[in-house]
Amino acid sequence: QSALTQPASVSGSPGQSITISCTGTSSDVGGYNYVSWYQQHPGKAPKLMIYEVSNRPSGVPDRFSGSKSGNTASLTISGLQAEDEADYYCSSYTSSSTVVFGGGTKLTVL
Amino acid sequence: QITLKESGPTLVKPTQTLTLTCTFSGFSLSTSGVGVGWIRQPPGKALEWLALIYWDDDKRYSPSLKSRLTITKDTSKNQVVLTMTNMDPVDTATYYCAHTSGGPSSGDFDYWGQGTLVTVSS
């Protein structure tokens, strides 16, 4: 299985909105509503931000939202804050009954 | 609350077998829908999913590493063990264990251990 494709980096100013894409195939992202998004600050473990495409775990701000269209999932962060600067990873369940992660996206808050 | 912690050697030699233990609390691996997975991250690189074991002993492995991995659970000890054979310097990474409760068709990890850095070097 190949890693899901994410942009290497995105940036935005405080208060703005940004979107990170995650492109897979019909065997993973496009085939299942089991896409997750993780936030990882330097030296820390990943934190689940979105599960099942668009659901937020308790405690995750509603500034974070997820969606999917075809083989591409997206994470949108609105009202960007300095603390949102981190690496973001998507993952998906696959037709092989496994999980695949994306290559990660570095978010810079200008 | 749910916690997980990885333990094992910090340094292994090439060709050796790595054994990592995930000790957890706050949940039972005999509860329907619950699983524990292993994910690794080489320094400065992306996350890579390795393996996952569910409450019913269903086991899943990364296709590219399947021949080298074994995942087992000891429900009575609240532990999950991952073994990886024939270690190579490219396997140098931080290894995480993580909890999932979405059942065998989800794969989202809501609780993670702190990770343990394993270096492969002679």
Side-chain angles (χ1 to χ4, degrees), chain B residues 49-107:
Chain B
W49 182 86
L50 299 177
L52 204 159
I53 188 165
Y54 288 101
W55 82 100
D56 59 356
D57 212 36
D58 181 7
K59 302 171 185 177
R60 315 280 177 86
Y61 295 101
S62 166
S64 62
L65 293 167
K66 185 173 183 177
S67 64
R68 299 174 53 204
L69 296 173
T70 302
I71 190 169
T72 60
K73 64 180 176 70
D74 187 329
T75 305
S76 64
K77 292 184 178 179
N78 282 353
Q79 290 182 333
V80 170
V81 175
L82 181 75
T83 61
M84 180 179 291
T85 62
N86 195 25
M87 293 292 285
D88 184 271
V90 300
D91 297 313
T92 293
T94 295
Y95 287 76
Y96 296 98
C97 64
H99 164 277
T100 180
S101 58
S105 298
S106 64

Side-chain angles (χ1 to χ4, degrees), chain A residues 5 7 18 22 24 26 30 33 42-43 59 61 65-67 69 72 77-78 80 100 102 109:
Chain A
T5 300
I18 63 95
C22 170
S26 58
N33 288 324
S65 62
S67 63
S69 178
T72 298
I77 308 174
S78 58
L80 209 54
V100 62
V109 180

Side-chain angles (χ1 to χ4, degrees), chain B residues 4-22:
Chain B
L4 304 96
K5 187 172 184 179
E6 307 85 354
S7 60
T10 58
L11 179 66
V12 297
K13 290 180 168 45
T15 76
Q16 286 187 336
T17 294
L18 171 68
T19 299
L20 293 173
T21 300
C22 176

Side-chain angles (χ1 to χ4, degrees), chain A residues 16-103:
Chain A
Q16 287 186 332
S17 294
I18 63 95
T19 297
I20 300 172
S21 62
C22 170
T23 301
T25 68
S26 58
S27 296
D28 38 63
V29 174
Y32 305 91
N33 288 324
Y34 290 113
V35 175
S36 302
W37 288 91
Y38 299 88
Q39 176 192 67
Q40 186 180 35
H41 288 109
K44 301 295 187 181
K47 175 186 177 183
L48 181 66
M49 304 301 283
I50 296 288
Y51 67 98
E52 293 176 9
V53 176
S54 61
N55 295 310
R56 279 188 310 277
S58 174
V60 173
D62 60 6
R63 302 185 295 105
F64 291 83
S65 62
S67 63
K68 190 185 85 168
S69 178
N71 295 338
T72 298
S74 299
L75 172 71
T76 298
I77 308 174
S78 58
L80 209 54
Q81 298 181 3
E83 67 214 48
D84 299 333
E85 184 163 295
D87 293 327
Y88 290 84
Y89 294 92
C90 62
S91 74
S92 175
Y93 182 76
T94 81
S95 59
S96 301
S97 302
T98 60
V99 175
V100 62
F101 280 95

